[in-house]
Amino acid sequence: MGKVALIFSGQGAQYPGMGKELYHCSPAAKAVYDMADSIRPGTSHQCFEGTKEELSVTVNTQPTVFIADLAAAAAVAEKGVHIDYLAGFSLGEIAALGFSGMLSYEDAFRLVCKRGELMDKAANKTAGAMVAVMKLTPQRIEEICKEFDECWPVNYNSPAQTVVAMNKDIVDDFCEKIKAEKGRATPLAVSGAFHSPYMEEASLGLGEALAELSLNDPQIPLYSNYTAQPYEGDYKSLITNQCKNPVKWQETVENLIAKGVDTFIEVGVGKTLTGLVKRINKDVTAIKVENKEDLDALNI
């Protein structure tokens, strides 16, 4: 068997009840939820009983998905699974920071709460939107984006899917252009143009929050969305740049495979990353752990 990478899901896949089974079956997962409740009372209740609408508000989404990710990772580690590498998609990277030991769980959770507030504030100040584009190459999508003002590829998810952030006023025209190019465009139910220049103010705010924290070297190599390489150099700049620059997910997965990873375990919410990994390379194993059944079935 090759190496194992733990990958942490991002926002968008949240749902009422996420993490509840792991809370009740894994002491390590429960400890993560209890930690969150001690800092942000009601976080567990939001995860388990919150409405879809409540969980879709960025200031709630980021803390709750973070906790679902981190709790699932703790449950996997509790089971004795050896983990060689870490990566997280967008928000998931902050949970991975905590799991890697770069920050304590408490400091990582405080940071993601601040990140959610900052990105929500930035989104409310700009008329941003995001559109998933399929059936066109990333290179062609980049060319199309240049034909519009305030339009940027921001999530390089797989060879067949790239997410584009833009001013919401051009969404219809952009989608028509994609259709004319024989591609498929799907507007996403998000509140802003994340990972774009619209997040500059949020990036600056994260820098201020990070100035008060000390980051350790990761105990498990962690790959950065911003560089698609392991964390090295100025750790804080990687975190601040991440929220206003593209997520290089396809490149990250390809780099991990080149390091010998043949098994990816998605922790947290849903199976979005599991699907993306299989689209990037169908020969690797990609599995998810988000509930008791998944955890019981894990045999690595």
Side-chain angles (χ1 to χ4, degrees):
M1 179 179 164
K3 295 180 179 178
V4 175
L6 207 60
I7 53 178
F8 294 70
S9 59
Q11 78 185 78
Q14 63 274 359
Y15 59 87
M18 58 184 178
K20 191 171 185 177
E21 288 187 16
L22 292 182
Y23 176 90
H24 289 294
C25 76
S26 163
K30 182 180 185 300
V32 172
Y33 278 101
D34 290 346
M35 176 277 296
D37 285 336
S38 72
I39 294 171
R40 181 181 181 269
T43 300
S44 294
H45 185 267
Q46 272 191 337
C47 288
F48 305 155
E49 309 297 338
T51 65
K52 183 178 180 180
E53 292 73 22
E54 181 183 7
L55 291 170
S56 295
V57 178
T58 299
V59 293
N60 296 328
T61 312
Q62 295 210 14
T64 54
V65 172
F66 170 99
I67 289 303
D69 284 2
L70 191 56
V76 169
E78 182 182 43
K79 194 166 181 176
V81 176
H82 177 76
I83 301 156
D84 298 288
Y85 296 100
L86 304 172
F89 190 98
S90 185
L91 160 66
E93 187 172 309
I94 311 302
L97 282 169
F99 190 79
S100 75
M102 292 182 71
L103 289 171
S104 68
Y105 283 5
E106 292 81 1
D107 282 344
F109 184 62
R110 291 187 184 97
L111 182 65
V112 84
C113 290
K114 186 65 175 178
R115 184 180 186 269
E117 292 171 7
L118 290 165
M119 293 179 74
D120 185 62
K121 182 179 178 182
N124 288 330
K125 285 188 174 182
T126 53
M130 299 177 80
V131 175
V133 181
M134 284 71 73
K135 297 185 177 180
L136 295 178
T137 66
Q139 294 74 23
R140 181 60 188 132
I141 294 168
E142 289 171 353
E143 293 169 357
I144 293 171
C145 287
K146 291 176 182 177
E147 299 177 20
F148 296 87
D149 291 330
E150 300 183 42
C151 185
W152 312 273
V154 293
N155 295 347
Y156 290 87
N157 290 346
S158 74
Q161 185 188 90
T162 302
V163 174
V164 178
M166 65 193 71
N167 187 294
K168 69 178 182 181
D169 291 340
I170 66 170
V171 168
D172 290 344
D173 290 342
F174 178 82
C175 291
E176 283 299 316
K177 175 65 177 179
I178 296 299
K179 184 178 179 181
E181 294 279 333
K182 309 300 183 186
R184 189 168 84 238
T186 304
L188 301 180
V190 295
S191 60
F194 302 122
H195 296 286
S196 79
Y198 281 179
M199 293 293 115
E200 176 66 35
E201 185 176 316
S203 177
L204 292 172
L206 270 179
E208 294 174 1
L210 283 164
E212 301 176 7
L213 299 175
S214 295
L215 274 71
N216 305 311
D217 293 330
Q219 296 172 8
I220 303 171
L222 167 62
Y223 275 67
S224 162
N225 287 174
Y226 180 53
T227 64
Q229 298 292 334
Y231 263 68
E232 58 183 16
D234 186 349
Y235 295 157
K236 292 181 180 180
S237 72
L238 294 177
I239 300 169
T240 57
N241 275 304
Q242 189 243 37
C243 73
K244 65 175 181 178
N245 283 285
V247 173
K248 299 177 180 177
W249 188 251
Q250 179 183 340
E251 188 178 349
T252 296
V253 171
E254 290 171 343
N255 288 342
L256 285 165
I257 293 171
K259 285 290 188 180
V261 172
D262 66 2
T263 302
F264 292 81
I265 304 173
E266 178 177 5
V267 289
V269 186
K271 55 184 179 180
T272 299
L273 302 185
T274 304
L276 292 179
V277 167
K278 293 299 290 184
R279 292 186 185 97
I280 294 166
N281 188 317
K282 61 181 176 58
D283 295 324
V284 299
T285 298
I287 54 182
K288 70 177 182 72
V289 174
E290 66 173 323
N291 54 39
K292 185 178 185 300
E293 182 181 0
D294 297 337
L295 187 65
D296 289 345
L298 191 62
N299 184 24
I300 294 176

